[in-house]
Amino acid sequence: MRVIYPSLVEQAVEELAEGEKITLDYKVQVYQALIKDKIIDEFGFPTEYALSQGYVESITEEPNLEWDEFLDMYPIFKKCDQVEFERINGFWEITTDFQAKLMSDSFQAKLTNIEKAQIQEFLSGRQRAV
């Protein structure tokens, strides 16, 4: 069974591990500590406490971002060609084919957990692909 942890947990695990091998037990410990410390709720969302203390920054993608501003939000896409994206209704969108490539095992194997979390965050905000 494969457990997918929320992006904040993945980011915390990667930061705390400092290059060490990351085990499932370690992820569980980090997840539980983040909940105990009221940084995230049981679903992995930041708490009001975490936001107000500046432990977690809430980033909302605004419409009509320039390409460089979009890349500041999602640095993972610096590895991708801009032609894979199209601005629709003010937001940078991708095709279903490119989405499949991003989620493929061969592409994902080359990514850090933070990069995977960025893709997950980008895709979770999308209701449809081009």
Side-chain angles (χ1 to χ4, degrees), residues 62-72 82 87 90 92:
E62 299 292 331
N64 302 313
L65 291 176
E66 294 300 321
W67 180 246
D68 290 340
E69 294 172 311
F70 175 75
L71 292 179
D72 287 343
Q82 186 177 351
R87 196 182 318 198
W92 293 101

Side-chain angles (χ1 to χ4, degrees), residues 90-109:
F91 292 94
W92 293 101
E93 304 290 354
I94 60 174
T95 64
T96 53
D97 289 343
F98 187 58
Q99 181 175 341
K101 178 185 174 184
L102 291 175
M103 299 310 295
S104 71
D105 290 340
S106 61
F107 189 83
Q108 291 276 318

